[in-house]
Amino acid sequence: MTPAEARAAGVAAARAFAGAVGHVQATHRAVAARAFGRGEDHAGWAPPVAWAHDRIADGTYAAVRGIGSTVLRAAGLALAATRPPHARPLGDHPAGDRVLGALGGAFGDRWAAERSPLALPMTLRRNGRDLPVDGAALRRAFPMTTGRVVVLVHGLCLTDASWAGTPAHEGFAARLHRDLGADVLLLRYDTGRRIPANGADLANLLERLVAAWPGGLRELSLVGHSMGGLVARAACVEGAAAGHGWIGPLRHVVTLGSPHLGAHLERASATASWAAGLAPETRLVTDLLGLRSAGVLDLRHGAIVPEDLPPAVDRWPWGERGTAVPLLEGVRHHALGVTMAGDPASWLARTVLGDLLVTPDSATGRARGERRLAYGEEDAVLLGGLHHFDLLHHPRVYAQLRRWLRPAPGLPAPGTTGDGLVAATALDA
């Protein structure tokens, strides 16, 4: 953790504490108002007991809020003073990376707006480190390339480390490099920001990558897990509209469990937020749910264009809403959905159970109306007996991914360069 990150952590903790105290205070006042049989504000006309209660309670909450916030800010400053000037960033450590990923999904949009050191900038990664997008750095990282590049895009509250695999299953990056001869890059980004904003940044990053790739990039594939699939599609929208050069070599866009039609969990949160706001005593729930990041709100209807901005509170968020965005022409689009049920064709598996976070119908864009996505018959696949995070490393998922991404005729064979030489590099996922 750098000194700047330590100070920012103290500020973030102080704000969170002050906000929590404020929410508890508001709930206390609402309950007291009900008990005293008055409105929420007793000032000026309430009975003496109610007036005294409010003044004492407000003073206590103010003291707790002020003291707690001061202590947390001071702790951040004290921690910053102990950190060496050239300390490694928190995101370069496995545990810190996981923490920043999880908190970024919840608060990343606020941190990005404040330019906080805790905000994760969008970067391409390799071996757990940022990879600069310039010719020299890319040549050092990939001295012998085939001109085939795959970019893996993680999902909400995760980072590039989510693709690393498990002790039982090797990560997709290493497998794709070994089996298909592809050079694999991992994207890390702030999942709390709006999906269209991340898509626009990814489009610009890919434009720089294609321009700098050693020897020229002949085939590009994007693979996105969950929110990452929506970010990849948003990048396609932005890249096509801007006339970007990377759209030319783009061959495949694969989405793994991406909520193209929206996520039921976010819709349930919106409904709960609206219902809790009906009574003063339960507005605390509305306030807490209202802290959901812009990225999470975009998941409600699978928003990938800036115009689709769901409200924080929605009385009826269910159903197919949002702008209909067709798949990009001239590119092979593939969608893989999974369900916990053994029979993926059953109604319960496809519309309710799903992978516990996304239903198969949403993952494959099977809308009834204009939002239906025109996947080919072999390009929309459902697998049973798997959950949402199996999509990151399970062998059955990889087998389908490999089938879709296998080299097109005329490209070098896996593991060789364009001159037929065996590639000398291996990618550690």
Side-chain angles (χ1 to χ4, degrees), residues 7 16 41 67 70 82 132 159 170 215 259 273-274 343 356 387 403:
R7 289 190 292 270
D41 187 0
I67 294 173
T70 300
T82 67
T159 68
E170 189 178 17
S273 180
W274 169 79
D343 180 10
L356 299 182
H387 60 71
R403 188 173 299 117

Side-chain angles (χ1 to χ4, degrees), residues 171-194:
F172 286 175
R175 293 193 224 181
L176 289 171
H177 180 73
R178 182 182 63 246
D179 297 345
L180 303 183
D183 294 319
V184 184
L185 296 170
L186 311 180
L187 186 77
R188 185 168 74 176
Y189 66 101
D190 180 350
T191 61
R193 296 178 65 224
R194 291 211 63 198

